[in-house]
Amino acid sequence: LHAPLPISPQANHAAYIRKYLGGGARLRKGDKIGDPLFRNPAANDYHLLPGSPAIAAGEDLRYPQDFDGHPLPKGAAPDIGAFQSQAK
């Protein structure tokens, strides 16, 4: 077996469009594509790093807390993902 070659962001974006959006689909307001800046995905650590575009970009789904038990913000947009950013 050979190690996989690195994939460029442009190739990654194009593959996403083809597979998930049907090739000709367009993103709509609020849709996001990009690096969410996970802390360490290789170690299954999907907490967000400061500066992540997923911070305060979610929808209020009325969940009281994240997967770490931290409360989600009231009246403000939560982060996208399972873990609410704790960076201030």
Side-chain angles (χ1 to χ4, degrees):
L1 295 173
H2 298 286
L5 296 174
I7 298 175
S8 72
Q10 296 81 9
N12 189 30
H13 179 266
Y16 176 88
I17 295 295
R18 283 193 308 276
K19 181 170 182 173
Y20 296 107
L21 299 181
R26 300 282 180 244
L27 295 176
R28 294 186 211 116
K29 182 179 178 182
D31 291 344
K32 296 184 180 290
I33 287 182
D35 183 352
L37 299 178
F38 292 132
R39 187 183 298 160
N40 189 352
N44 295 318
D45 183 351
Y46 296 102
H47 291 84
L48 300 173
L49 292 172
S52 168
I55 293 175
E59 296 282 330
D60 183 3
L61 300 177
R62 300 182 188 216
Y63 293 119
Q65 61 190 26
D66 70 6
F67 280 35
D68 284 335
H70 297 118
L72 296 182
K74 302 273 190 248
D79 299 343
I80 295 174
F83 304 103
Q84 186 69 25
S85 172
Q86 298 303 304
K88 302 280 183 211

